[in-house]
Amino acid sequence: MSSPPRRATVSEPASETVRLTGVGFGYADSPEVLRDVNLSLKPGSFHFLTGPSGAGKSTLLRLLTLSARATAGEVRVFGRDAAGLSRGEIPLVRRRIGAVFQDFRLLDHLSLFENAALPLRLAGGRARDYAPDVEEMLRWVGLGERMDARPPSLSGGEKQRLAIARAVMAKPDLIVADEPTGSVDRAMADRLLKLFQALNRLGATVLIASHDEALADRSGARRLHLEHGRLTEGGR
Ligand code: ADP
C-alpha cells in the first residue's frame, strides 16, 4: 500500500486545541446529555471517543465544531471561548476544523471532485493549483475513478470516504470525525485510520468518535469514554 498523501505541517500556537471545563448540555426533551465534562486536547494529540449509542458522542463533537452551545461550563477551541465568538468569527474558527459528520453533508449537485475541493475553493484557492492534491486524496480514499460522478450515485461507504477526503483537504488544525468508518469494511477502516494517523503526524489534532472498540484498540490512540453523559479518560 502506498503512503497517504503528504500534507504541509500544520502550526498550532494555542497550548490546548480544545479545553472543556465543567461542560453540560441538554436538549429540550433530554435535559442532561452531557454533565460536568472536562476535556483537554493538546495540539497534535490523537484520541478516540468511545461509548454506547446515545451516550452523547455526537453532541460533544457538535460543541467542538461550534454547531451547538454548551448549556453549562466553558468550551474553548484554539484558545478562544466559543461563547464569546462573534457571528463573523465562527466561520473563521470552523475553517480550521475538518469535520466528518455522520450524515456526510455532501452537496449532491457538485461532482466528487468539486465536493472534495470545496474547502480549498472557499479558502480562495485556484482549481489549477489544488487539482493535483484533490485528485491524490480522492485516489487515496479509493474514489479516483469516480471524480466526475455526483454523490447520489455513491454507496454509503463511498459517501463516507468522500466526506473524509473533504474534511481533511484543507489541512485543518483539528479533525473531528463522527463514526467515520461506520459504513466501510475493515480493510477500508484501517486505510482511513492510516490517513488520520498520517495527518496527525503532520500536526493535526484528531478526535474520532466511534463505537468500534476494536478499531480504537488497533489505532493505539488515547481513549476517552463517554457514558451516561460523563467523560472518563483512559477507556478500557
Ligand atoms: P451518540 O452520538 O453517543 O450516539 P448523541 O449525542 O447522538 O449520542 O445523543 C445523545 C442523547 O441526546 C440521546 O439520548 C439522543 O436521543 C439525544 N439527542 C440527540 N440529538 C438530539 C436532538 N437534536 N434533540 C433532542 N435530543 C437529541
Side-chain angles (χ1 to χ4, degrees):
M1 187 190 290
S2 60
S3 304
R6 288 192 66 76
R7 321 278 330 148
T9 304
V10 177
S11 64
E12 181 46 68
S15 63
E16 289 175 305
T17 308
V18 169
R19 155 69 75 179
L20 267 52
T21 311
V23 164
F25 185 86
Y27 296 100
D29 45 2
S30 316
E32 282 219 298
V33 174
L34 299 175
R35 277 180 287 169
D36 193 24
V37 168
N38 297 294
L39 169 66
S40 165
L41 299 183
K42 299 263 192 271
S45 60
F46 193 130
H47 285 89
F48 256 83
L49 173 63
T50 55
S53 179
K57 302 183 296 297
S58 301
T59 302
L60 181 57
L61 297 196
R62 254 176 242 140
L63 298 180
L64 305 190
T65 56
L66 311 178
S67 311
R69 274 194 172 201
T71 42
E74 185 184 64
V75 174
R76 296 187 86 85
V77 184
F78 307 125
R80 301 290 308 274
D81 179 357
L85 293 170
S86 67
R87 284 178 65 168
E89 288 172 315
I90 289 175
L92 299 178
V93 174
R94 280 206 188 121
R95 216 172 272 177
R96 298 179 62 189
I97 304 172
V100 182
F101 301 101
Q102 265 195 62
D103 56 358
F104 312 131
R105 304 199 194 168
L106 301 170
L107 298 178
D108 287 348
H109 62 289
L110 299 181
S111 69
L112 268 64
F113 177 91
E114 290 164 329
N115 267 279
L118 207 57
L120 299 172
R121 208 178 93 196
L122 292 176
R126 289 182 304 179
R128 68 161 179 254
D129 295 331
Y130 59 62
D133 282 352
V134 174
E135 289 166 11
E136 189 186 3
M137 183 63 75
L138 286 173
R139 279 195 293 273
W140 173 260
V141 299
L143 295 172
E145 308 297 314
R146 311 214 46 195
M147 290 193 216
D148 297 325
R150 299 196 189 266
S153 69
L154 300 182
S155 71
E158 289 168 333
K159 287 181 185 174
Q160 187 148 48
R161 286 183 267 152
L162 176 59
I164 292 171
R166 181 185 59 183
V168 303
M169 211 52 247
K171 304 167 201 150
D173 295 326
L174 171 62
I175 296 169
V176 171
D178 198 354
E179 299 284 358
T181 59
S183 305
V184 299
D185 61 27
R186 177 177 164 161
M188 181 50 77
D190 284 342
R191 189 171 173 84
L192 296 172
L193 179 61
K194 266 193 155 181
L195 176 61
F196 289 121
Q197 288 170 329
L199 294 163
N200 173 249
R201 276 197 299 279
L202 291 166
T205 307
V206 180
L207 178 63
I208 296 178
S210 178
H211 65 264
D212 187 345
E213 300 270 353
L215 183 73
D217 283 344
R218 291 202 297 283
S219 76
R222 281 196 273 175
R223 295 282 280 273
L224 300 163
H225 190 76
L226 195 59
E227 196 142 1
H228 305 305
R230 292 195 182 275
L231 188 73
T232 49
E233 293 205 38
R236 3 182 247 180

